[in-house]
Amino acid sequence: MDSPGYILLSRLSLQDRSTQALAHNIANADTPGFRAMRPVFGQVMVNLRGAGGMPGDSSMSFPQDRATWRDMSQGSLQTTGNKLDVAIDGEGFFVVETPQGERYTRAGRFAIAANGRLVDQEGNAVLDSRNRPIAFSAQDTQIEITKTGAIQSENGPIATLQLVRFENPQNLMAEGNRLFDAKNEAPVPVERPKMVQGALEGSNVSPILEMTRLTAEMREFQYASMFTEREGERITNAVERIMRRRSS
């Protein structure tokens, strides 16, 4: 395969990943607390001297898959009326306990499990400011959550929701569509937490913008595919001409 063929193949492979990222964003447009993903591409220059390049060519550039950037802007707050739904208004993450260890989330759709614990949608226990699971008794029926995360019922104070932040949130690793693994990032308590009871933070994905981007990406993929086909036809025609001259 010649140089144009390699360049086109590298372009098509990265175009495919970009399309997958956009499709994933659209699929999670209604997922509470979801953060849109953006692939980051770069350029790699290759020295062609002595590498069989065309006469006069000194270098060739390829697209490179550099990283994935996460849009950390806040989604819109949606009132639900459910007293166990909690939205974070500003920075921070809730802390939940999973079988793999502590994880972090912006999705505040909580419920009370059969054992009385406050859990997320996956059944993970929500942790309080002292890093312990939050639990209610059967007599706790009138539950109130203040803007600072303090939880109380008609029987008195219960716990305070733990809210943490990270110095480098881009280093968080997504697990599924709602949870993040901090890996080597140390959580820091949010000094002035602000929460809203009876509300949820929606996804920060704009379906219309994502659909527009997806349409543009699909067109780019089609253009690159057409160019690849024409490049293949060009090579085939060139080989046929060479074979005719040799046979004549």
Side-chain angles (χ1 to χ4, degrees), residues 162-203:
Q162 183 177 178
L163 202 65
V164 300
R165 64 179 180 84
F166 297 91
E167 295 296 338
N168 299 297
Q170 290 296 330
N171 292 336
L172 297 176
M173 299 295 293
E175 288 188 1
N177 300 324
R178 299 180 181 89
L179 300 180
F180 293 97
D181 183 359
K183 294 298 183 182
N184 297 323
E185 286 291 315
V188 179
V190 175
E191 295 181 359
R192 296 181 179 178
K194 188 178 180 182
M195 306 177 213
V196 181
Q197 183 182 20
L200 286 175
E201 179 191 3
S203 167

Side-chain angles (χ1 to χ4, degrees), residues 55-199:
D57 290 343
S58 60
S59 64
M60 179 172 59
S61 64
F62 291 90
Q64 180 188 35
D65 188 352
R66 294 287 302 276
T68 299
W69 173 76
R70 185 177 296 108
D71 182 0
M72 298 303 293
S73 61
Q74 181 171 320
S76 61
L77 301 189
Q78 306 163 1
T79 301
T80 65
N82 185 343
K83 289 192 174 183
L84 293 179
D85 287 344
V86 186
I88 301 173
D89 188 6
E91 66 175 349
F93 295 85
F94 297 113
V95 185
V96 297
E97 186 177 57
T98 75
Q100 293 75 36
E102 290 184 3
R103 295 296 185 265
Y104 308 90
T105 182
R106 296 275 301 189
R109 176 163 284 167
F110 302 140
I112 299 177
N115 60 4
R117 287 187 173 183
L118 187 68
V119 297
D120 66 5
Q121 288 180 270
E122 282 76 34
N124 302 309
V126 181
L127 301 184
D128 65 10
S129 57
R130 290 187 283 184
N131 222 41
R132 300 184 304 185
I134 299 172
F136 299 90
S137 69
Q139 289 72 39
D140 294 323
T141 58
Q142 302 297 322
I143 298 172
E144 294 184 5
I145 303 174
T146 69
K147 67 179 182 180
T148 60
I151 305 174
Q152 59 188 22
S153 72
E154 67 270 34
N155 300 307
I158 296 174
T160 300
L161 285 165
Q162 183 177 178
L163 202 65
V164 300
R165 64 179 180 84
F166 297 91
E167 295 296 338
N168 299 297
Q170 290 296 330
N171 292 336
L172 297 176
M173 299 295 293
E175 288 188 1
N177 300 324
R178 299 180 181 89
L179 300 180
F180 293 97
D181 183 359
K183 294 298 183 182
N184 297 323
E185 286 291 315
V188 179
V190 175
E191 295 181 359
R192 296 181 179 178
K194 188 178 180 182
M195 306 177 213
V196 181
Q197 183 182 20

Side-chain angles (χ1 to χ4, degrees), residues 1-2 5 230-240:
M1 185 182 296
D2 59 358
R230 292 175 182 174
E231 181 65 14
E233 293 173 357
R234 182 188 68 81
I235 295 174
T236 300
N237 293 334
V239 171
E240 289 177 352

